[in-house]
Amino acid sequence: MALTRTLAMPLALPRRGRHVAHRPSPQLSSALRSLIGVRRPRFLRGPRMERRIDAPVLTTARLTLRPHRIADAEDWFAIQSSAEVVRHIDWPLRDRAASRLHLRDRTRHTSLLQPGDFLALAVVRDGRLIGDVSLHLREIAAPERVAEIGWVFNPDTAGKGYATEAAEALLRFAATELRAVTVTARIRPQNHRSIALAQRLGFDPDATGEVWSVHPGLVPAVG
């Protein structure tokens, strides 16, 4: 799934007169990234698209997809503290403080312009954040523009079609606004719910079974 990358900053600690580099835990990495706002300057990120794509507000029959807000912190924590959620993605179980820092970082991901840019949208039902859908820009050349989609939802909303509805809306956005030719999704083979969702949306797996792809303009209406 398309997720923000954590900061990989080694910490040097003294040991018997020498300094030994230790990689911080995922929780500490996430906290450090959020606190100091480490990002590569735009001039180091390579070429740009012809125009910047800003985070939209999308509406479906039952949902609103919009940029994240820090006011969503409690609902976001309910997702991030779920063992069922983190079993299938590269997130640690976060406490409230770490979850709030992670959400604050996510509120900043609101545009796509260069390779590596990341756009995250809160999925809201009746005023409550129930999930997140995202696009990670991979290739920007117009004839072969590629984005990676991600989705994560509170398990207590499973079985109601919300993930399908939200992902379908974001795929339409990827086709019409981003003009992506291909959208991929990285899904672990054990994540049966996400595989079923990808199949409903018309994705096909590669030989490894972990990278799925679809032409977003051809996504069937399944909502």
Side-chain angles (χ1 to χ4, degrees), residues 35-109:
L35 283 171
I36 64 180
V38 172
R39 299 175 188 276
R40 283 191 303 163
R42 283 216 171 266
F43 71 88
L44 293 177
R45 298 188 207 172
R48 302 184 178 201
M49 294 192 299
E50 62 278 5
R51 65 186 179 96
R52 186 181 70 192
I53 305 297
D54 291 322
V57 175
L58 306 175
T59 57
T60 69
R62 301 178 294 172
L63 306 172
T64 299
L65 283 60
R66 50 119 173 116
H68 283 276
R69 303 169 184 167
I70 201 66
D72 299 324
E74 277 302 305
D75 291 332
W76 190 241
F77 173 63
I79 293 172
Q80 295 223 308
S81 60
S82 167
E84 183 177 348
V85 168
V86 302
R87 181 165 62 245
H88 297 301
I89 57 179
D90 294 324
W91 282 357
L93 274 174
R94 292 185 171 95
D95 60 21
R96 273 187 170 80
S99 176
R100 187 179 182 88
L101 287 171
H102 183 263
L103 176 61
R104 188 174 73 176
D105 186 60
R106 222 159 179 82
T107 64
R108 300 166 180 159
H109 290 287

Side-chain angles (χ1 to χ4, degrees), residues 94-173:
R94 292 185 171 95
D95 60 21
R96 273 187 170 80
S99 176
R100 187 179 182 88
L101 287 171
H102 183 263
L103 176 61
R104 188 174 73 176
D105 186 60
R106 222 159 179 82
T107 64
R108 300 166 180 159
H109 290 287
T110 57
S111 65
L112 299 172
L113 180 63
Q114 295 171 275
D117 282 352
F118 179 74
L119 186 153
L121 297 177
V123 180
V124 179
R125 165 72 171 165
D126 294 333
R128 174 196 171 203
L129 182 146
I130 63 169
D132 167 285
V133 289
S134 59
L135 287 174
H136 207 145
L137 190 57
R138 297 304 189 187
E139 301 287 343
I140 69 168
E144 54 192 28
R145 187 163 296 163
V146 178
E148 181 179 323
I149 192 171
W151 52 71
V152 59
F153 284 79
N154 192 317
D156 71 9
T157 66
K160 298 180 174 65
Y162 296 143
T164 302
E165 195 171 320
E168 185 182 13
L170 191 60
L171 285 170
R172 285 197 301 269
F173 176 81

